[in-house]
Amino acid sequence: MKLIVFFVFVISNISNDGKASLESFAPSNDANFLTDTTKSSDKSCHRPCKFNVKPRRCYYKFDIEPTLDKIPLSINGQTPGPPIHVCIHDIIVVEVRNKIPDQDLAIHWHGLEQRGTPYMDGVPMITQCPISYGSTFKYAFKASSPGTFFYHADSVTHQSDGVYGSLIVDQPQPLEPHSSLYDFNRREEHTLVIGARFPQLLSGTLEDLTKVLPDGLVINGQDYTKIFVMQTYAYRLRLINAIALECPVLISIDDHMVTVVASDGKPVQPVTTSTVRLYPGERMDIVVRADQPSGGYWLQVKGESQCDGLKTHSMFLYQGFNYTSMIEETPNTEVDKNNIVFGQKLLSYKDVTLLPSVKSVYLGIDKHNVEVKDADLDFRYLSDVVPKKPFFPTALSLKEGVVQINGRNFLYPNAPLLLKPREVFKDIACSVEIHKHKDVQCMQILRANQNEPLELILVNDGFHSNDSYTFHMHGLPMYVVATWQSPAGLPLSKEEFEKLDKGGQIERNLQNPPMKDTVTVPNKGFTIVRINPDHGGHWLLECRSCSLTLPAAILISVPISIPKTVVDSLPSCGSYKPPDVLLN
């Protein structure tokens, strides 16, 4: 009988964990837990998530257009764009209208696996036709897993100019593995989206964008924000690094420790620290308890790499504190660099079973200066070039070189590969594993069989660069089984890596590796990931920041057949040609 009473008590209190406020923090006494009691009071999908309630169809309309404000591009007049808050199993429907003159775009849903809807992943000429100026594309997909995600323009320049926003998928509170660690999960107020400001418009600019660096950091589009808390209570904060360039950020709260509970939307074993590092595209959920004397403190964000020297902050305010004294205050920007936690060094919440030996694929990453004569550089579209002549895109003339994978750059096809594979030119495709293509730029494909695990060995050899690179995997989660960087700062060749591996000097975590969709590959080091392609599609593994010159990416192709009715229902490309030379 006691067990039954306890069960009823738990169910009846799955209440407003996301609606908690300073005025109302008492548990709800909702007895009608089997019905959707929020239907009449809240027309949006931002609601407490409950058991045994039908999923909703959540509709959003995005108008993406230029603005006259500090941010060049906006969604519905704001940056970040409208937050999307839904419950697990809801259907998200977003109607995107492109109002950017003379430019095409697409929206990627960063971290969502798109099971059953690979054509909604938002990669132009791979999963869809680009959204041309004045036209509309309707995205519709299922929120199949809970976590902290975000959306952004597929184009790095559009994202940098302001096209991004948060996407939170929640579940009933009893299913949250770490809900006992916090009292409040105020998704709307406590989601912090970190972005960057640039001194000029990036979209449509023809100059070398690798020289245009951010000149400021923002939180939720503002120079500083405020977080209100009550003393002794613990809060869940959701952190999102929405910067498209290679800009890791360090985040800390003065005099407070934080506990990491999730990375890239997946729960991890809790780790308490003073500072966390987020790489571009990463998300992290932390818990902070207001256990200090009542007052005002600073949540600080400090940039690294291409954002080195930049900082922003938010006020972390206890209830009743008058923060006017902090307005003229200069925050202390010292960071404890001996106590930094980042995502791929964490451990997964639950143990997994990974095979000790699977097929592995080596991906060598480095910046190269390709020797080519000026007379051989080509300004035309690849589809206009004489097929038998080697193709050298003009970006190869950059003195700083271009980042490549296995000595090649990625080429987007002439037609959407997922929807119209027969229309794609056959001679532009090349195999990741066979290096025989005549061009330095081709559509690099790694063919995978469904449910056959693969190991991807990403080695940043560092012979021609001292940069680290962040990679994002579309559609397929990655188990990060190993990360290493040369302590002596020496370049790492393929032969030296294989020697280390065969000598048993590379230890793989096959028991509880973190599951992520975004990883960093340290300079003169490596990151090894495992993927299990358990659903079909064409999934991009890309270095987003590298694409300001030429794309550095591969395509993991898992067999799938898209019904003709679906293909016919999606917008066609018309006479569109991908700008695969100068403007890629």
Side-chain angles (χ1 to χ4, degrees), residues 15 18 75 94 99 181 212 230 252 349 416 486 519 535 542 568 578:
S15 57
I75 306 175
V94 185
K99 300 174 73 174
L181 298 181
V212 182
M230 294 182 293
S252 60
Y349 177 66
S486 170
V519 298
H535 55 287
E542 61 169 337
D568 292 342

Side-chain angles (χ1 to χ4, degrees), residues 185-345:
N185 178 21
R186 300 168 65 187
R187 295 171 284 278
E188 193 161 7
E189 298 94 333
H190 291 166
T191 297
L192 307 182
V193 185
I194 294 121
R197 281 182 176 154
F198 291 81
Q200 66 180 71
L201 177 75
L202 300 188
S203 302
T205 302
L206 299 181
E207 64 184 81
D208 180 6
L209 293 178
T210 60
K211 300 183 184 300
V212 182
L213 298 178
D215 59 4
L217 298 178
V218 293
I219 300 175
N220 295 340
Q222 305 297 320
D223 291 320
Y224 70 89
T225 56
K226 304 180 189 72
I227 299 173
F228 294 97
V229 297
M230 294 182 293
Q231 199 168 25
T232 74
Y233 287 93
Y235 295 81
R236 177 177 180 174
L237 307 184
R238 299 172 187 262
L239 311 176
I240 301 171
N241 185 344
I243 306 173
L245 300 190
E246 202 59 47
C247 287
V249 294
L250 299 175
I251 303 174
S252 60
I253 304 176
D254 292 351
D255 299 331
H256 291 73
M257 302 296 284
V258 301
T259 301
V260 181
V261 296
S263 178
D264 285 359
K266 305 298 183 184
V268 297
Q269 295 181 26
V271 174
T272 300
T273 181
S274 62
T275 308
V276 298
R277 176 183 283 126
L278 262 71
Y279 288 91
E282 273 195 307
R283 292 89 59 212
M284 188 175 286
D285 293 23
I286 62 174
V287 172
V288 56
R289 183 171 293 278
D291 56 2
Q292 296 300 306
S294 182
Y297 301 85
W298 291 107
L299 181 148
Q300 302 196 51
V301 180
K302 186 175 181 181
E304 295 183 313
S305 190
Q306 291 183 319
C307 289
D308 189 36
L310 303 181
K311 57 189 176 181
T312 188
H313 49 269
S314 174
M315 293 181 179
F316 191 78
L317 303 170
Y318 283 58
Q319 183 183 21
F321 176 74
N322 186 351
Y323 61 83
T324 55
S325 61
M326 298 178 66
I327 296 177
E328 302 298 328
E329 184 179 322
T330 301
N332 175 22
T333 57
E334 292 297 323
V335 173
D336 181 8
K337 293 193 175 182
N338 296 318
N339 195 22
I340 297 175
V341 169
F342 65 102
Q344 60 202 62
K345 285 290 189 178

Side-chain angles (χ1 to χ4, degrees), residues 8 34 54 67-68 117 166 182 208 284 367 503 519 553 581:
V8 172
L34 296 181
K54 290 183 178 180
T67 65
L68 299 177
T117 53
S166 62
Y182 53 86
D208 180 6
M284 188 175 286
K367 184 174 285 188
V519 298
V581 185

Side-chain angles (χ1 to χ4, degrees), residues 66-248:
T67 65
L68 299 177
D69 204 350
K70 293 181 181 180
I71 301 297
L73 300 178
S74 68
I75 306 175
N76 297 352
Q78 65 185 73
T79 295
I84 295 178
H85 293 127
V86 300
C87 292
I88 190 170
H89 305 312
D90 282 347
I91 304 298
I92 300 173
V93 181
V94 185
E95 189 174 300
V96 177
R97 185 180 180 188
N98 179 10
K99 300 174 73 174
I100 309 173
D102 301 321
Q103 294 189 39
D104 305 295
L105 62 80
I107 300 296
H108 173 58
W109 314 94
H110 197 108
L112 297 183
E113 297 178 4
Q114 298 293 355
R115 292 177 179 271
T117 53
Y119 40 84
M120 293 295 167
D121 192 43
V123 183
M125 308 312 288
I126 299 294
T127 66
Q128 69 170 86
C129 294
I131 310 171
S132 59
Y133 170 59
S135 64
T136 299
F137 189 97
K138 183 178 288 186
Y139 294 93
F141 49 88
K142 185 177 182 180
S144 58
S145 58
T148 301
F149 310 100
F150 76 116
Y151 61 86
H152 57 77
D154 176 78
S155 163
V156 169
T157 57
H158 287 156
Q159 181 183 346
S160 299
D161 283 338
V163 184
Y164 60 85
S166 62
L167 196 165
I168 310 299
V169 181
D170 254 315
Q171 61 184 340
Q173 188 176 5
L175 297 181
E176 287 288 346
H178 299 307
S179 60
S180 62
L181 298 181
Y182 53 86
D183 303 294
F184 293 99
N185 178 21
R186 300 168 65 187
R187 295 171 284 278
E188 193 161 7
E189 298 94 333
H190 291 166
T191 297
L192 307 182
V193 185
I194 294 121
R197 281 182 176 154
F198 291 81
Q200 66 180 71
L201 177 75
L202 300 188
S203 302
T205 302
L206 299 181
E207 64 184 81
D208 180 6
L209 293 178
T210 60
K211 300 183 184 300
V212 182
L213 298 178
D215 59 4
L217 298 178
V218 293
I219 300 175
N220 295 340
Q222 305 297 320
D223 291 320
Y224 70 89
T225 56
K226 304 180 189 72
I227 299 173
F228 294 97
V229 297
M230 294 182 293
Q231 199 168 25
T232 74
Y233 287 93
Y235 295 81
R236 177 177 180 174
L237 307 184
R238 299 172 187 262
L239 311 176
I240 301 171
N241 185 344
I243 306 173
L245 300 190
E246 202 59 47
C247 287

Side-chain angles (χ1 to χ4, degrees), residues 124 208 408 490 516:
D208 180 6
R408 302 197 181 281
L490 299 176
K516 294 180 61 60

